[in-house]
Amino acid sequence: MSRATTFGTRADAYDRLRPGPAPEALDHVVPPGSRRVADLAAGTGLVTRAVLGRADAPVVVAVEPDPRMLARLAVTTPGALPVRGLAEAIPLASGALDAVLASSAWHWFDPPTATAEIARVLRPGGALGLLWSRADPTVDWVAEVRGIGRAAADGSARLSRRGFDVELPPGHGFVDELPQAVTVRWARIMTRDDVAGMVCTYSGVLELPAADQEAVHRAARKYLDRTFPGDEALEVPFETVVRRWTRS
Ligand SMILES: C[S@@+](CC[C@H](N)C(=O)[O-])C[C@H]1O[C@@H](n2cnc3c(N)ncnc32)[C@H](O)[C@@H]1O
């Protein structure tokens, strides 16, 4: 099993515990008047649902290679058009889309091939939006509890290695509209158990044997019990970071 296909082993937990985007973050990546949008690497539909929930929602094609994630998306995200496909081979017509989104996924793509494909399916003037949503790592306890998962994995979370400073390969006519990225901070209430579960939805943990995944869950839970004695419900700080390019 490759790391990119670990999420499907826990698609239900992924969908329940991982964050969708802050709704206002989508204002930066879904151009007004968009009629047709693709959510690439749509997973279980966290971003697809958020786009479908917008006023004057466009049609959203959810492109995802893992059938287990797509099966979950079909249940959780009525109204989406689920399609099996890769960022490097998007099964959509050329020039068909007003926007392409990819959330917490760019690091899984082959940038030259995916960029060429995204340029092909976007209409001129269409937008590419990259998003990353995660518990806010600048908050000490969040960093500590995520660190438990990272330490049990190999410590090489791909996001922290490759970050948000994406540079698209040249030659495809993309103009970088938000080089500094926009960060939207928000929060949601979660139980301690769900926070420990969320730590276990990252690929480095998901590829461990089941017993080791359970050990990560127990260690995260223990840390949270110690840090927040008595508080079952926690206000968890999140951030959604967005970048946007326009295809000329
Ligand atoms: C961390 S999940 C993100 C899912 C969703 N976008 C979200 O924000 O919750 C990464 C997803 O990328 C998908 N993926 C991995 N490699 C891919 C590729 N080359 N093209 C498209 N999707 C890919 C995985 O199957 C998985 O569903």
Side-chain angles (χ1 to χ4, degrees), residues 4 7 14 18 41-43 46 64-65 69 86-88 103-104 108-109:
F7 303 102
Y14 185 99
R18 285 285 280 263
L46 292 168
E64 164 61 42
M69 298 297 261
L86 289 164
E88 296 82 358
S103 162
S104 301
W108 297 115
F109 301 166

Side-chain angles (χ1 to χ4, degrees), residues 92-205:
L92 297 173
S94 300
L97 300 171
D98 299 304
V100 169
L101 308 179
S103 162
S104 301
W106 184 258
H107 51 293
W108 297 115
F109 301 166
D110 174 60
T113 322
T115 305
E117 269 297 82
I118 293 165
R120 181 185 66 75
V121 295
L122 277 174
R123 65 164 171 77
L128 165 63
L130 299 185
L131 303 89
W132 296 264
S133 290
R134 58 179 180 170
D136 184 346
T138 64
V139 174
D140 285 347
W141 75 261
V142 169
E144 290 283 336
V145 78
R146 284 279 281 115
I148 292 168
R150 289 213 170 103
D154 62 7
S156 65
R158 296 183 69 162
L159 179 59
S160 55
R161 270 192 280 138
R162 291 173 64 171
F164 314 127
D165 53 347
V166 171
E167 276 197 38
L168 294 186
H172 300 287
F174 281 107
V175 178
D176 191 345
E177 308 278 4
L178 291 176
Q180 303 308 318
V182 170
T183 300
V184 179
R185 293 209 153 78
W186 51 288
R188 71 174 168 165
I189 306 293
M190 297 176 72
T191 65
R192 284 180 281 183
D193 217 39
D194 282 351
V195 175
M198 180 174 68
V199 168
C200 296
T201 63
Y202 287 86
S203 58
V205 179

Side-chain angles (χ1 to χ4, degrees), residues 15-87:
D15 190 64
R16 196 170 67 77
L17 301 175
R18 285 285 280 263
E24 58 271 41
L26 293 176
D27 295 343
H28 296 281
V29 287
V30 181
S34 292
R35 303 308 322 149
R36 206 170 160 83
V37 171
D39 180 12
L40 277 190
T44 58
L46 292 168
V47 169
T48 307
R49 290 207 282 287
V51 177
L52 287 171
R54 288 168 69 80
D56 196 21
V59 169
V60 187
V61 187
V63 182
E64 164 61 42
D66 187 332
R68 300 161 302 181
M69 298 297 261
L70 263 187
R72 191 70 208 141
L73 184 146
V75 172
T76 58
T77 316
L81 298 177
V83 175
R84 194 153 172 208
L86 289 164

